[in-house]
Amino acid sequence: MIKVVLCDDHAVVRRGVRDTLMEATDVQVVGEADGYASLRDALRQHKPDVLLLDVDLPGRSGLEILAVLQEEQNPVRVVMVSMYPEDQYAIRCLKAGAMGYLNKGGDPAALLAAVRTVAQGRKYITAEIAELLANHLNAPEGAELHDSLSERELQTLKKIASGKKLSQIAEELMISPKTVSVYRARVLEKLGLSNNAELTVYAIRNQLV
């Protein structure tokens, strides 16, 4: 039996996903959450095999939560779900450690396929995402310097450029200020910048904030 936890802040969406998954005899929805706090409780209590995690959540986003799970080496396999088209978030989610990405407006049958695929330890890649990945690999080298940043580094870049202090960033990302400093140093090095002012200018020019 594949144990699944759903994390979406819309109860109607959770109900629809739950109903779809519960039609299968090999899948059991063992818990639901509407944000980071309730998700932590659900993961601790149920220890699911698969987590269906919404990208757009109030407070900490799904990508931020995914980064936390990766840092904690949580064994749950994550499929990101979103109302946004694949070309906006799919590659970012996969690079950040997700095992799959699904559009909420897609075929409900894809939910079951994704859950079963990632439960086996394999990535779930749709034809649309496969094409995006191929195009991404064939993109000109150095097209965007910030493409080389990890999800945590990109989050740090955006928050610094938004004027937040390291202590604030540490609190929001639930990491130590020292770790934020490490991420900041990596960002500066990868982007060839010297200070926060240059970092902010870069973020604005590239429409990251």
Side-chain angles (χ1 to χ4, degrees), residues 78-157:
V78 181
V79 176
M80 302 297 291
V81 294
S82 174
M83 57 182 281
Y84 302 111
E86 285 86 349
D87 60 352
Q88 292 188 27
Y89 276 100
I91 292 179
R92 281 184 62 191
C93 290
L94 292 172
K95 286 176 65 177
M99 296 288 286
Y101 180 94
L102 286 173
N103 190 307
K104 289 183 182 180
D107 183 358
L111 276 170
L112 276 172
V115 166
R116 287 169 174 155
T117 298
V118 303
Q120 296 172 2
R122 297 185 290 121
K123 289 187 181 294
Y124 179 79
I125 306 293
T126 63
E128 292 80 6
I129 294 176
E131 183 176 357
L132 285 173
L133 288 170
N135 292 336
H136 183 73
L137 290 173
N138 293 326
E141 290 188 14
E144 297 290 353
L145 287 175
H146 56 267
D147 285 344
S148 67
L149 300 180
S150 69
E151 187 59 35
R152 273 297 204 220
E153 290 165 353
L154 184 61
Q155 291 171 355
T156 301
L157 164 61

Side-chain angles (χ1 to χ4, degrees), residues 153 156 166 176-189:
E153 290 165 353
T156 301
L166 295 188
S176 70
K178 183 178 180 180
T179 302
V180 176
S181 296
V182 171
Y183 286 134
R184 173 183 175 276
R186 290 179 185 170
V187 170
L188 292 174
E189 180 180 358

Side-chain angles (χ1 to χ4, degrees), residues 5-7 11 14-15 18 29-34 38-39 42 46:
V5 163
L6 314 176
C7 184
R14 292 200 307 274
R15 183 164 60 248
R18 182 180 64 243
V29 177
V30 295
E32 298 182 26
D34 57 6
S38 55
L39 175 60
H46 301 292

